[in-house]
Amino acid sequence: MKVIYTDKSQIIASRVAENIGAPLGEVKLSRFPDNELYIRAADLDDRTVIVSSLPDAESIVELLLLIDACEGSEVALVIPYMAYARQDKRFNAGEPISIRAIAAALSRGVERIITVNIHEPEVLKYFSVPAENISIAPAIGEYLAGTGIEDPLILAPDDGAWAFAKGVAAAQGWDCNYLNKTRHSGFEVSIEEKEVGVLGRNVIIVDDIISTGGTLATAAKMLAAEGAESISAACVHGVFSGGGYARLMAAGFRCVASSDTIERGCSLISAAPAIAEALRR
Ligand code: R5P
């Protein structure tokens, strides 16, 4: 068995390979004169693990080509960050169910799929092969326990992230609560006033995704006004679109950490051990 990867997932793929004790295969990537991608995965084995986050549209094309290149090998596809997962409904007439379109395309030619903290696990039904979603909430809790942040209060920004926040807090025995967020647009959210006992506390807001940072910056403003001692953040998928990371720093966050599902300078937690465990099942 070999582990191969798309270009933006080389680090997490290497860690997965190390964790399952399989070699990394070589993937050659170049471009045709018209800028189309050329891919070659030479020397494949009978079984292949493809590790491919999808932080942008080009990664989706690259992954589709890579799956096709693996014809004849039994493929387990790991998608640490699944793009388009948040458009999981037709909110207005004429819109696609984006995750359905992408999931259908990615299911052809693979035996099984593993995702990591996909925004809404219900969408796994759109893959036409067996699909499993794993959570790295315990790994995030373990990382935070080593940061020296004393007796933190773990907060989810909305009830959708409440189960995830409980997963972060549980093994460490930390207090945990959630806020009530309303999303007005892709860029605008508001958070309802809520008494969650933050006075003098080291608060850590945890979420599956940080995209623009708008959710966390809005929450931080309210928590600071309520007397929080410090505010930090941790997420699985650090998208940080449009200056999202800088926005959080400017909002006074003590630290912001993400996992390596999207490879960033603040990717301080690895999803690889949990992925390896799922692959062994
Ligand atoms: C949505 O419900 C997700 O869990 C995140 O809260 C959201 O994607 C964060 O987006 P942003 O950072 O743009 O506020």
Side-chain angles (χ1 to χ4, degrees), residues 22 112 221 276:
R112 66 182 287 214
K221 205 169 161 189

Side-chain angles (χ1 to χ4, degrees), residues 86 119 157-158 181 183 186 189 207-215:
R86 285 178 288 171
H119 183 62
D158 52 37
K181 172 180 89 175
R183 179 166 290 287
V189 298
D207 207 351
D208 57 341
I209 303 172
I210 301 177
S211 182
T212 64
T215 298

Side-chain angles (χ1 to χ4, degrees), residues 11-20 114 116 134-136 138-139 142 259-260 268-281:
I11 297 174
I12 188 166
S14 310
R15 292 175 180 154
V16 168
E18 195 184 331
N19 273 274
I20 61 172
I114 296 169
V116 179
I134 59 167
S135 175
I136 61 159
E142 217 170 283
S259 86
D260 55 359
L268 302 172
I269 303 137
S270 183
I275 291 170
E277 201 181 311
L279 282 167
R280 279 190 221 103
R281 286 198 277 272

